[in-house]
Amino acid sequence: MRKTKGQMEAQIGEALIQFEKEYMGRGPQETKAFILDDIILVRLQGVLTPAEQQLVKNPQGTELIKRIRSNLLEQGRELLAKAIETITGLNVVSLHTDISTKTGERVIIFTLNENLEDKFRSHNMP
Protein backbone atom coordinates (compact mmCIF):
# COMPACT_ATOMS: atom_id res chain seq x y z
CA MET A 1 0.00 0.00 0.00
CA ARG A 2 1.36 3.40 -1.01
CA LYS A 3 1.25 6.26 1.47
CA THR A 4 -0.06 9.69 0.61
CA LYS A 5 1.96 12.76 1.53
CA GLY A 6 -0.55 13.54 4.29
CA GLN A 7 -0.34 10.01 5.70
CA MET A 8 3.45 10.17 5.78
CA GLU A 9 3.44 13.62 7.42
CA ALA A 10 1.06 12.27 10.07
CA GLN A 11 3.28 9.23 10.63
CA ILE A 12 6.34 11.48 11.03
CA GLY A 13 4.44 13.64 13.53
CA GLU A 14 3.48 10.55 15.53
CA ALA A 15 7.10 9.35 15.54
CA LEU A 16 8.26 12.70 16.91
CA ILE A 17 5.60 12.65 19.62
CA GLN A 18 6.75 9.16 20.63
CA PHE A 19 10.40 10.29 20.67
CA GLU A 20 9.59 13.32 22.81
CA LYS A 21 7.62 11.19 25.29
CA GLU A 22 10.21 8.42 25.56
CA TYR A 23 13.44 10.39 25.24
CA MET A 24 12.58 13.83 26.61
CA GLY A 25 10.05 12.64 29.22
CA ARG A 26 7.07 14.60 27.95
CA GLY A 27 5.26 14.89 24.63
CA PRO A 28 4.26 18.11 22.88
CA GLN A 29 0.70 19.43 22.96
CA GLU A 30 0.57 19.56 19.17
CA THR A 31 2.80 18.36 16.32
CA LYS A 32 2.71 19.02 12.59
CA ALA A 33 5.10 17.70 9.95
CA PHE A 34 5.60 19.15 6.48
CA ILE A 35 7.41 17.53 3.55
CA LEU A 36 9.03 20.15 1.32
CA ASP A 37 11.25 18.79 -1.47
CA ASP A 38 14.19 17.10 0.34
CA ILE A 39 13.32 18.67 3.71
CA ILE A 40 11.00 17.57 6.50
CA LEU A 41 9.96 20.37 8.84
CA VAL A 42 8.39 19.35 12.14
CA ARG A 43 6.74 21.92 14.38
CA LEU A 44 6.11 20.86 17.98
CA GLN A 45 4.05 23.13 20.22
CA GLY A 46 3.83 23.06 23.99
CA VAL A 47 7.09 21.21 24.62
CA LEU A 48 8.25 22.97 27.80
CA THR A 49 7.66 21.22 31.12
CA PRO A 50 6.21 23.25 34.01
CA ALA A 51 9.69 23.36 35.60
CA GLU A 52 11.20 24.67 32.34
CA GLN A 53 8.46 27.30 32.15
CA GLN A 54 9.63 28.58 35.52
CA LEU A 55 13.31 28.51 34.52
CA VAL A 56 12.77 30.58 31.39
CA LYS A 57 11.60 33.53 33.44
CA ASN A 58 15.21 34.70 33.61
CA PRO A 59 17.97 34.92 30.95
CA GLN A 60 20.20 32.29 32.58
CA GLY A 61 17.31 29.82 32.68
CA THR A 62 16.49 30.51 29.05
CA GLU A 63 20.06 29.76 27.97
CA LEU A 64 20.15 26.64 30.15
CA ILE A 65 16.93 25.24 28.64
CA LYS A 66 18.15 25.89 25.09
CA ARG A 67 21.50 24.17 25.82
CA ILE A 68 19.95 21.17 27.56
CA ARG A 69 17.25 20.63 24.93
CA SER A 70 19.75 20.97 22.08
CA ASN A 71 22.18 18.58 23.76
CA LEU A 72 19.47 15.98 24.43
CA LEU A 73 18.26 16.11 20.85
CA GLU A 74 21.80 15.77 19.54
CA GLN A 75 22.29 12.67 21.72
CA GLY A 76 19.05 11.21 20.36
CA ARG A 77 19.86 12.17 16.76
CA GLU A 78 20.48 8.59 15.61
CA LEU A 79 17.12 7.42 17.01
CA LEU A 80 15.31 10.26 15.26
CA ALA A 81 17.16 9.72 11.99
CA LYS A 82 16.36 6.02 12.06
CA ALA A 83 12.66 6.73 12.63
CA ILE A 84 12.56 9.18 9.69
CA GLU A 85 14.52 6.78 7.47
CA THR A 86 12.13 3.92 8.32
CA ILE A 87 9.08 6.03 7.49
CA THR A 88 10.44 7.65 4.31
CA GLY A 89 12.83 5.04 2.95
CA LEU A 90 15.43 7.82 2.50
CA ASN A 91 18.60 8.72 4.41
CA VAL A 92 18.75 11.68 6.77
CA VAL A 93 21.70 13.89 5.78
CA SER A 94 21.36 16.48 8.54
CA LEU A 95 19.17 17.52 11.45
CA HIS A 96 18.70 21.06 12.77
CA THR A 97 16.62 22.26 15.69
CA ASP A 98 15.72 25.29 17.76
CA ILE A 99 13.30 25.97 20.58
CA SER A 100 11.48 29.14 21.50
CA THR A 101 11.42 29.55 25.26
CA LYS A 102 8.84 32.32 24.85
CA THR A 103 6.23 30.22 23.02
CA GLY A 104 7.27 26.70 24.03
CA GLU A 105 7.57 25.77 20.37
CA ARG A 106 10.33 23.64 18.85
CA VAL A 107 11.16 23.15 15.20
CA ILE A 108 13.16 20.24 13.85
CA ILE A 109 14.37 20.18 10.27
CA PHE A 110 15.58 17.01 8.58
CA THR A 111 17.43 17.20 5.27
CA LEU A 112 17.15 14.02 3.20
CA ASN A 113 19.43 12.55 0.54
CA GLU A 114 16.68 12.79 -2.13
CA ASN A 115 13.65 14.91 -2.95
CA LEU A 116 10.88 13.10 -1.06
CA GLU A 117 8.11 15.30 -2.42
CA ASP A 118 8.96 14.20 -5.99
CA LYS A 119 8.20 10.61 -5.01
CA PHE A 120 4.57 11.53 -4.30
CA ARG A 121 4.25 13.07 -7.74
CA SER A 122 5.62 9.94 -9.41
CA HIS A 123 3.70 7.54 -7.12
CA ASN A 124 6.84 5.54 -6.24
CA MET A 125 6.47 5.59 -2.46
CA PRO A 126 7.89 2.78 -0.34
Side-chain angles (χ1 to χ4, degrees):
M1 180 174 98
R2 306 224 185 272
K3 298 175 199 167
T4 66
K5 182 179 174 186
Q7 288 170 328
M8 188 172 287
E9 288 170 336
Q11 195 175 4
I12 291 166
E14 290 167 13
L16 267 287
I17 290 170
Q18 192 66 29
F19 172 82
E20 287 278 324
K21 284 181 179 176
E22 290 177 4
Y23 199 78
M24 302 295 213
R26 179 179 182 272
Q29 293 173 346
E30 186 177 337
T31 302
K32 290 193 183 219
F34 305 91
I35 297 169
L36 308 160
D37 296 328
D38 64 342
I39 293 171
I40 297 172
L41 169 67
V42 184
R43 180 180 178 196
L44 303 103
Q45 295 176 293
V47 298
L48 296 177
T49 66
E52 289 171 329
Q53 290 172 3
Q54 292 302 313
L55 281 172
V56 300
K57 291 181 179 178
N58 70 63
Q60 297 86 0
T62 297
E63 182 58 35
L64 179 64
I65 296 304
K66 282 184 169 273
R67 272 199 332 261
I68 289 171
R69 287 288 187 139
S70 179
N71 188 288
L72 282 170
L73 195 71
E74 190 58 37
Q75 288 180 25
R77 183 191 187 289
E78 287 185 35
L79 290 172
L80 273 176
K82 184 174 178 161
I84 296 300
E85 290 170 357
T86 299
I87 293 167
T88 65
L90 299 177
N91 294 326
V92 172
V93 175
S94 64
L95 180 156
H96 310 274
T97 187
D98 197 10
I99 187 168
S100 169
T101 54
K102 288 187 182 0
T103 64
E105 178 178 85
R106 164 180 259 173
V107 292
I108 303 173
I109 300 169
F110 299 91
T111 304
L112 305 173
N113 67 324
E114 290 181 39
N115 186 326
L116 179 57
E117 200 165 23
D118 276 351
K119 295 189 179 292
F120 293 104
R121 291 185 199 113
S122 62
H123 307 295
N124 291 332
M125 282 312 305

